[in-house]
Amino acid sequence: MPRSVWYPGHMAKGTRKLNELVSKLDLIVEVRDSRAPVSTSSPLIKALAKIKPVIHVLSRKDLADPDKLNLWLNEFKHAFAADLRNKSGLNSIKKAILKFKPSHREARLAVVGIPNVGKSLLLNSLINKSSASVGNIPGITKSVNWYRNEGLLIVDSPGILDPHAESGAHLILSWLGCAKADVVGGFENAALMLIKFLRVKNMNNLLPVEFIDEPAGLTLERIGRRMGCLISGGRVNYELAGQKFIEAFSNGRLGPVCLETPDSEPAINFSDNISHEAVNFVQE
């Protein structure tokens, strides 16, 4: 039985620390993936937004469908699309943050986000990667890492996942590289579910092979053969094929995409696993 969520101890500790110091901050900067802004939202953000203003940074804009991304930018009060690897959009983000700066000191903020959405890239850009930690700040919670740079005082926080999110959300996170594939049954299962999802959402153009009306298992087999994921006897290594397909999707090599729009239904909940053992034709 696969685990329902990956939630190591440092995430729980980080959650407690962030809750302790939020009253001392001026704002929260949350990073989400442009391709799935709902599923990649921080589980803490609703509670934090009731206490402090929030700026949303939608990362990986270069991998997102531009028309759908614009819908998301209009959905949020303060939102910026960015390609953090190339620092595109960074100046606009800095200007927006500095609007919350009190006249007598730096702007105090936390950068939050789930794992692998670009939170560290944004933090490193805001503080300059070579900046050193300034240590504990008097009067503020101890044992957290603070960084100072150009009118900003920034606290780092670990990537935190929602341990109660539905399985459909964790599938999307695994496709984007934000959650481990073993949480949803491994790369093979994640890839089969992604193929099924793309067909349900009429995104067949993202599939590297154009076999629209065939079972997902056969498509994964073809993908595996094309990518050379073979074992003895010329059989396909489905786990490796699934891993390579997920990596190609996550890295944007299959093309720009948005898996969610503001008016779409919540993440679909594939409760059934469709591993290749159930697809007998693959072995026939």
Side-chain angles (χ1 to χ4, degrees), residues 29-231:
V29 177
E30 185 204 21
V31 184
R32 304 188 188 192
D33 192 307
S34 297
R35 298 168 292 176
V38 174
S39 295
T40 60
S41 63
S42 168
L44 307 176
I45 202 61
K46 286 185 178 180
L48 294 174
K50 295 178 181 178
I51 305 171
K52 296 294 176 180
V54 176
I55 289 176
H56 301 282
V57 175
L58 303 184
S59 66
R60 301 189 175 108
K61 72 173 185 178
D62 54 314
L63 305 183
D65 180 306
D67 293 332
K68 293 180 180 178
L69 176 54
N70 283 332
L71 295 177
W72 280 111
L73 292 174
N74 293 329
E75 184 75 6
F76 296 109
K77 184 177 180 180
H78 301 290
F80 300 87
D83 176 3
L84 296 173
R85 289 181 176 83
N86 294 317
K87 298 188 177 181
S88 172
L90 185 62
N91 288 336
S92 296
I93 296 168
K94 284 183 176 179
K95 289 179 181 178
I97 292 172
L98 288 172
K99 289 181 180 179
F100 294 91
K101 177 186 176 301
S103 59
H104 61 286
R105 59 166 172 78
E106 305 106 325
R108 293 173 179 169
L109 61 138
V111 178
V112 303
I114 68 171
N116 297 328
V117 290
K119 183 177 69 69
S120 294
L121 282 173
L122 177 60
L123 176 68
N124 289 337
S125 296
L126 291 175
I127 64 175
N128 288 333
K129 197 169 184 179
S130 60
S131 295
S133 170
V134 299
N136 298 327
I137 304 299
I140 307 180
T141 305
K142 297 180 179 180
S143 303
V144 293
N145 294 321
W146 290 91
Y147 299 88
R148 177 178 283 126
N149 185 50
E150 296 181 349
L152 304 178
L153 189 60
I154 309 173
V155 62
D156 190 15
S157 63
I160 298 170
L161 290 173
D162 184 356
H164 306 296
E166 63 174 23
S167 58
H170 286 297
L171 271 169
I172 289 180
L173 296 184
S174 73
W175 301 338
L176 299 177
C178 299
K180 292 186 175 182
D182 59 8
V183 171
V184 293
F187 283 109
E188 177 189 350
N189 189 65
L192 289 168
M193 295 299 191
L194 176 55
I195 293 168
K196 185 174 179 181
F197 178 92
L198 294 176
R199 286 179 175 156
V200 167
K201 298 295 185 179
N202 295 315
M203 298 178 183
N204 293 295
N205 60 301
L206 294 173
L207 295 172
V209 285
E210 298 177 357
F211 301 101
I212 305 304
D213 297 321
E214 68 184 15
L218 181 54
T219 298
L220 183 60
E221 181 192 23
R222 296 182 191 275
I223 291 170
R225 292 192 181 281
R226 175 171 291 191
M227 293 183 168
C229 304
L230 303 177
I231 54 179

Side-chain angles (χ1 to χ4, degrees), residues 222-274:
R222 296 182 191 275
I223 291 170
R225 292 192 181 281
R226 175 171 291 191
M227 293 183 168
C229 304
L230 303 177
I231 54 179
S232 61
R235 294 174 297 153
V236 171
N237 181 331
Y238 290 92
E239 187 68 11
L240 180 59
Q243 180 179 353
K244 287 183 176 294
F245 179 56
I246 292 294
E247 288 175 350
F249 178 82
S250 176
N251 293 333
R253 296 200 298 273
L254 304 186
V257 63
C258 276
L259 301 176
E260 301 165 340
T261 57
D263 58 351
S264 65
E265 294 295 320
I268 59 175
N269 185 4
F270 288 120
S271 59
D272 58 324
N273 289 349
I274 52 174

